[in-house]
């Protein structure tokens, strides 16, 4: 196996660990989940570019009659990328002490202010940055508000 194969295996392992963390572990961390809200998908163009690059490398490997293990690994990487970016749903998890947004824990005490933009985006101002939460359904904004008020 070449260095390229080892790099693809490492990337596959990282994608797999991320998928396991996102689907199974994050829901169980920091106590019981009080509310799970599905968010809009972002970065669709980035994922298409990445899948396109994988397809180009895969085509080059097949046309140059490269190693079959590299072809298999590239196909697995393409399928994993499709799962991560197109099948998996991004979500906001509200817990008793804080929330998980973009797989990062945020304590409620870190939230300085919350605003709702005109286009239905919930803006949470933290100490040094803003979180822009794009919910899939506008009714979820009211559920988020009620859950956060109950936690206060």
């Amino acid at each position: 196996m070449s260095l390229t194969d080892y790099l693809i295996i490492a990337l596959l392992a990282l994608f797999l660990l991320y998928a396991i963390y996102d689907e199974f572990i994050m829901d169980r961390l920091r106590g019981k989940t009080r509310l799970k809200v599905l968010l809009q998908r972002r970065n669709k163009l980035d994922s298409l570019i990445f899948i396109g690059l994988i397809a180009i490398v895969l085509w080059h490997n097949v046309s140059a009659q490269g190693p079959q293990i590299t072809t298999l690994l590239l196909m697995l990487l393409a399928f994993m990328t499709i799962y991560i970016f197109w099948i998996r749903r991004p979500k906001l998890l509200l817990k008793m002490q804080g929330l998980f947004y973009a797989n990062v824990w945020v304590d409620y005490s870190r939230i300085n202010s919350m605003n709702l933009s005109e286009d239905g985006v919930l803006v949470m101002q933290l100490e040094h940055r803003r979180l822009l939460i794009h919910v899939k359904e506008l009714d979820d904004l009211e559920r988020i508000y009620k859950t956060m008020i109950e936690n206060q």
Side-chain angles (χ1 to χ4, degrees), residues 16 65 104:
L16 186 62
Q65 297 179 351
V104 176

Side-chain angles (χ1 to χ4, degrees), residues 44-73:
K44 290 182 180 182
L45 182 60
D46 295 342
S47 67
L48 286 176
I49 292 169
F50 187 65
I51 291 170
L53 290 173
I54 293 172
I56 290 169
V57 172
L58 181 63
W59 176 75
H60 182 268
N61 188 52
V62 170
S63 66
Q65 297 179 351
Q68 286 194 351
I69 187 74
T70 304
T71 304
L72 176 67
L73 290 173

Side-chain angles (χ1 to χ4, degrees), residues 20-54:
I20 290 170
Y21 172 76
D22 185 58
E23 291 295 325
F24 302 112
I25 297 173
M26 193 171 59
D27 196 31
R28 291 174 175 81
L29 289 177
R30 308 265 184 172
K32 184 181 174 194
T33 301
R34 301 207 53 211
L35 179 66
K36 183 188 287 190
V37 177
L38 294 179
L39 303 175
Q40 291 179 359
R41 285 194 172 101
R42 314 294 288 169
N43 304 327
K44 290 182 180 182
L45 182 60
D46 295 342
S47 67
L48 286 176
I49 292 169
F50 187 65
I51 291 170
L53 290 173
I54 293 172

